[in-house]
Amino acid sequence: MLFKNFATVGGATLLSRVLGFVRDVMLAAFVGAGPVADAFVVAFRLPNLFRRLFAEGAFNSAFIPLFARSLEEDGERGARQFAGEIAAALFWTLVIVLVLAEIAMPVLVYVLAPGYFSDPAKFDLTVLMARIAFPYLLFMSLLAFVSGILNSFQRFAAAAMAPVMLNVVMGLVLAGIGLSGLEPTPTTGVILVTGVAVAGVVQLAFVAVDLKRLGFSIPLFRPRWTPGVKRLLSLGLPGVLAGGITQINITVGTIIASMQDGANSFLYYADRVYQLPLGVVGIAIGVVLLPNLTRSLRSGHQEEALHLQNRSLEFALALTLPAAVALFLIPREIIDVLFGRGEFGQEAINQTAWALMAFSIGLPAFVLNKVLSPGYFSREDTKTPMYFAGVAMVINVVLAIGLFPFLAHVGIAVATSVAGWVNTGLLALLLYKRGHFELDTAALKRLPLLFIASVSMGAVVLGLAIFVPGAHAERFLVRAGHLAILVLAGMVSFAVFVQLTGAVNFVAYAKRLRSRKTAPKT
């Protein structure tokens, strides 16, 4: 059931990321990496900064364990009451934040991208676009709330599919821009961020329909200071602070990158690529593991909880290690085929590829964070991850500032990766010291073998990248074919190496599956 849920969330996330790539390919072709693209990146990032602060990390890490407890102890009626209280507090808090942000938007843009202030046209456009995009925060935070309820009932599909709607809407908007032949002008930027706001409404409606199918209605209350709200705040505030620390990392990177023309765009496109494996694997694990781990611990099944964490760790690294190796070895080939057309020229390809290489170093750490954090959240400990995030923030800021004069935007990506590993290391060490997590015999055997298989796959891919012609061909189809060969060779060679090393026994799995299919029904 665990891996079935991983597959459900991971498959939906993969679809979303693929459509996201289509969206970003069109964005690169029609908008490029110029002033309008830089303005869009900052305008889109602002509501997402606050969304991660109020919704995904802080809110879900506190809400899901409390909702699960309410459901178990007070039944569905008590859970409805708790959900209604939290919904009222969340909604009105978001409305206040939204109003204040709209008023103070020039200040927020200046804080996030001070380098834009020297170009009044670019700065004013960013402020306008950010004001249009910011209501996305409200819809996404309510989406996270509804998704937490659905996930607690083991309904993962709708919440996982909701991000697909963003990419569908944005893809349609970009297709319209391309077909109309619009140049990358302020009008283009306004159309783009309007699409973002509309997509937020569509996404929220998507999960609301599934909540109605579940038959779980949320009562409407005025905001009140109830014990449930107080408990959520006490657990969620450290998560908000930890989320705030994470957003400080992103904000510092954006501020520094604003000093270099095109840097925010280079980092954005590189981020979009490495977010594919991070999203598919990391989000799937984070969404599925927390409610399952919480349920196991509430039932007193410590061994089951340990088993869930170990298998999640193996699943994460089995998919993440080969992806990280590939992104590190062939970043230019990937960026060239995905974005290298139209307004996105050779300089943008090269600069984005360097950033992607730096991000790839931290990819396993970012995913492991999703495996380890539920070990704290499921025990209603949100303070410890906050402290560790603070340590990682200091390291990230110091490194980003120190490396930028030498490595430009690539230094920001390097700092992000190093900070990710520090955070993950601290989370793992304390979980182990508390006796809440340790590698079992199967994990101790498989993890080194997965590493060997990933490195061996990397050698095959690198050899083909060097000796098979086509990477620098003028025709796009030739370059795309070359990348397809590398990807296919990587997948096949990794499968072979994990079988040879014994990390995964595909033959045994196939026999087991065949025996299930042929077993007589009783």
Side-chain angles (χ1 to χ4, degrees):
M1 180 61 72
L2 178 70
F3 290 107
K4 178 183 177 182
N5 290 333
F6 282 164
T8 298
V9 179
T13 306
L14 177 60
L15 175 60
S16 174
R17 299 296 176 171
V18 170
L19 292 177
F21 274 131
V22 174
R23 178 196 76 195
D24 290 328
V25 166
M26 291 191 289
L27 182 66
F30 302 145
V31 184
V36 175
D38 278 350
F40 173 74
V41 169
V42 172
F44 190 39
R45 184 162 289 165
L46 263 171
N48 280 292
L49 287 175
F50 284 88
R51 181 197 76 189
R52 290 168 184 145
L53 196 63
F54 285 100
E56 294 172 351
F59 183 80
N60 276 340
S61 63
F63 175 71
I64 289 178
L66 290 179
F67 183 79
R69 172 193 283 186
S70 178
L71 195 61
E72 181 179 335
E73 296 177 356
D74 305 321
E76 195 166 309
R77 183 176 180 180
R80 291 179 198 275
Q81 175 75 18
F82 176 73
E85 294 170 358
I86 300 306
L90 177 65
F91 177 79
W92 289 108
T93 300
L94 289 168
V95 168
I96 293 171
V97 170
L98 181 59
V99 171
L100 293 176
E102 292 289 346
I103 295 171
M105 194 59 72
V107 177
L108 292 176
V109 171
Y110 181 78
V111 170
L112 193 61
Y116 291 8
F117 195 69
S118 59
D119 185 344
K122 185 176 181 179
F123 182 82
D124 291 344
L125 176 61
T126 306
V127 171
L128 174 62
M129 291 171 64
R131 279 179 166 149
I132 297 171
F134 205 80
Y136 185 71
L137 163 68
L138 174 64
F139 306 126
M140 288 302 95
S141 299
L142 294 175
L143 167 67
F145 167 69
V146 175
S147 298
I149 295 174
L150 292 172
N151 293 344
S152 297
F153 283 99
Q154 298 292 295
R155 293 174 72 99
F156 298 101
M161 284 293 292
V164 174
M165 298 300 104
L166 167 66
N167 294 320
V168 169
V169 173
M170 292 303 296
L172 292 172
V173 170
L174 283 161
I177 291 173
L179 291 173
S180 64
L182 286 175
E183 297 293 326
T185 63
T187 301
T188 307
V190 169
I191 293 172
L192 278 173
V193 290
T194 301
V196 171
V198 172
V201 177
V202 174
Q203 287 177 270
L204 179 58
F206 192 80
V207 293
V209 169
D210 195 54
L211 188 66
K212 185 175 181 180
R213 287 176 184 160
L214 176 63
F216 188 93
S217 58
I218 302 171
L220 301 177
F221 296 134
R222 289 179 297 175
R224 294 176 295 173
W225 187 247
T226 64
V229 173
K230 188 184 302 183
R231 180 59 176 160
L232 181 73
L233 184 62
S234 66
L235 285 179
L237 186 58
V240 169
L241 295 176
I245 290 169
T246 302
Q247 302 322 310
I248 288 173
N249 286 335
I250 297 172
T251 302
V252 168
T254 304
I255 291 170
I256 297 172
S258 72
M259 305 298 177
Q260 175 192 349
D261 287 341
N264 270 317
S265 297
F266 302 148
L267 291 171
Y268 171 80
Y269 289 117
D271 177 84
R272 295 301 302 158
V273 175
Y274 93 86
Q275 284 287 338
L276 175 61
L278 175 58
V280 172
V281 183
I283 292 177
I285 289 174
V287 167
V288 174
L289 182 57
L290 179 56
N292 280 280
L293 195 58
T294 300
R295 189 178 302 105
S296 296
L297 292 173
R298 291 259 178 247
S299 304
H301 299 149
Q302 299 292 336
E303 289 298 321
E304 180 183 345
L306 184 62
H307 175 79
L308 287 171
Q309 289 173 296
N310 272 277
R311 301 296 76 78
S312 298
L313 182 67
E314 290 176 7
F315 176 79
L317 291 180
L319 297 181
T320 305
L321 282 176
V325 170
L327 294 179
F328 184 83
L329 293 176
I330 55 170
R332 194 189 183 286
E333 289 87 341
I334 294 171
I335 297 298
D336 185 11
V337 171
L338 290 177
F339 305 125
R341 63 189 57 82
E343 300 287 334
F344 205 84
Q346 289 300 315
E347 179 64 14
I349 291 171
N350 293 332
Q351 296 299 331
T352 305
W354 281 110
L356 178 58
M357 180 182 288
F359 278 134
S360 70
I361 298 170
L363 177 58
F366 304 142
V367 174
L368 288 176
N369 187 286
K370 302 290 186 180
V371 176
L372 299 171
S373 294
Y376 295 91
F377 298 148
S378 60
R379 294 175 173 88
E380 299 185 9
D381 177 8
T382 54
K383 291 182 179 179
T384 302
M386 176 191 71
Y387 298 140
F388 291 160
V391 174
M393 179 204 70
V394 173
I395 292 172
N396 183 71
V397 171
V398 171
L399 281 178
I401 294 173
L403 293 175
F404 185 74
F406 307 100
L407 299 177
H409 64 287
V410 180
I412 299 171
V414 170
T416 301
S417 292
V418 172
W421 277 111
V422 171
N423 191 26
T424 297
L426 291 172
L427 288 170
L429 182 61
L430 189 60
L431 274 181
Y432 175 76
K433 284 188 173 182
R434 288 178 173 178
H436 294 162
F437 178 69
E438 62 178 332
L439 296 176
D440 59 19
T441 304
L444 285 171
K445 174 187 175 183
R446 291 173 185 152
L447 294 183
L449 298 177
L450 286 172
F451 179 79
I452 293 171
S454 299
V455 173
S456 301
M457 176 219 72
V460 172
V461 171
L462 183 60
L464 290 174
I466 294 172
F467 295 109
V468 174
H472 305 287
E474 291 187 10
R475 295 180 61 186
F476 169 76
L477 289 179
V478 176
R479 300 197 308 275
H482 180 266
L483 179 61
I485 291 172
L486 298 183
V487 171
L488 182 60
M491 294 171 63
V492 172
S493 61
F494 182 72
V496 170
F497 287 129
V498 292
Q499 178 68 41
L500 291 177
T501 59
V504 178
N505 192 336
F506 289 117
V507 175
Y509 285 151
K511 289 181 178 178
R512 195 179 308 162
L513 182 62
R514 193 180 304 116
S515 64
R516 287 178 181 175
K517 288 181 178 180
T518 57
K521 295 181 180 181
T522 57

